[in-house]
Amino acid sequence: MEILKERIIKDGVAIGTEILKVDSFLNHQIDVVLLSQIGAEFARIFENCGVTKILTIEASGIPIACFAAVHFGNVPVVFAKKAAPSTMTEEFYGAEVKSFTKGTVSVARISKKYLSPEDRVLIVDDFLAHGEAAFGLASLVKQAGAQLVGVGAVIEKQFQGGGKKLTEADVRVESLAVIKSIKDGNIEFA
Ligand code: 5GP
């Protein structure tokens, strides 16, 4: 997605060779026009896949999923929680997810009420790095007996291998901007 790549070049900040900071439009302040375009692009790519629900993980995936959902005809968004709030009294599906940026391990949880075997689920997230979050979310879909349509990532860091691992596991991966390397502050796209 050209407009996204241009924005990454303009406003993205490389932190070392592993991390990209896009706080000014995606992860802290949100450019809603760009997010709407991103949502429309996911809807175009996954058109005719019969998506009934969009699944993501808190926090940065939520706005992306919500904008996408509107372009999929207002399908519901379900977001996995990283902690068990006292309000989560019902049964839930859970999967361990290691956070790449925080170095912590948490259990991504969703209430059993919000995914069912009839669902055709699209997973979306801001970044695809090592694939931890996506594999965790895919596990929740599997536990529910639902159908995984694919994974949509706004930015994939190809060199961290998550996309390849998912593809090898027969998961359809569609990333709107694919980064090949980050070196000396330069971002090279695939
Ligand atoms: P993975 O689980 O694929 O290893 O990493 C993806 C998750 O880690 C995403 O949910 C995202 O929030 C976070 N993440 C991974 N790499 C980056 C990065 O370069 N920048 C930011 N802001 N978040 C990242």
Side-chain angles (χ1 to χ4, degrees):
M1 190 180 173
E2 261 338 288
I3 193 172
L4 172 64
K5 289 195 212 168
E6 283 164 16
R7 191 62 179 271
I8 292 169
I9 294 294
K10 182 170 160 275
D11 293 332
V13 179
I15 301 181
T17 55
E18 300 283 317
I19 302 272
L20 177 67
K21 190 169 167 177
V22 285
D23 275 11
S24 66
F25 62 93
L26 194 60
N27 287 134
H28 197 3
Q29 171 173 266
I30 292 172
D31 179 336
V32 295
V33 174
L34 180 64
L35 243 68
S36 183
Q37 290 165 322
I38 284 169
E41 185 62 3
F42 281 135
R44 188 190 66 74
I45 293 169
F46 290 100
E47 197 186 5
N48 302 325
C49 292
V51 172
T52 63
K53 245 166 222 186
I54 299 187
L55 177 65
T56 190
I57 186 161
E58 63 178 358
S60 295
I62 299 172
I64 298 159
C66 289
F67 274 96
V70 173
H71 292 279
F72 277 94
N74 300 324
V75 296
V77 167
V78 181
F79 63 93
K81 302 192 182 201
K82 289 178 185 163
S86 52
T87 49
M88 202 166 193
T89 48
E90 60 278 350
E91 281 194 76
F92 58 82
Y93 301 114
E96 268 196 4
V97 173
K98 191 172 165 199
S99 165
F100 174 66
T101 45
K102 297 192 188 89
T104 53
V105 178
S106 56
V107 177
R109 297 172 166 86
I110 53 165
S111 164
K112 289 189 176 177
K113 280 195 295 199
Y114 300 126
L115 272 191
S116 61
E118 300 78 51
D119 279 318
R120 294 180 59 78
V121 181
L122 173 65
I123 291 172
V124 302
D125 205 0
D126 54 349
F127 278 89
L128 172 58
H130 298 272
E132 284 281 328
F135 272 108
L137 292 172
S139 164
L140 300 178
V141 174
K142 196 172 174 194
Q143 288 172 49
Q147 186 72 38
L148 178 60
V149 165
V151 171
V154 177
I155 303 170
E156 176 180 344
K157 288 180 291 175
Q158 196 180 51
F159 56 94
Q160 288 165 339
K164 187 165 178 271
K165 275 196 274 176
L166 285 161
T167 307
E168 284 167 0
D170 278 334
V171 175
R172 179 178 175 193
V173 178
E174 300 284 353
S175 306
L176 305 186
V178 180
I179 295 174
K180 202 166 139 190
S181 70
I182 304 174
K183 276 191 198 118
D184 304 323
N186 291 320
I187 296 152
E188 193 190 347
F189 292 102

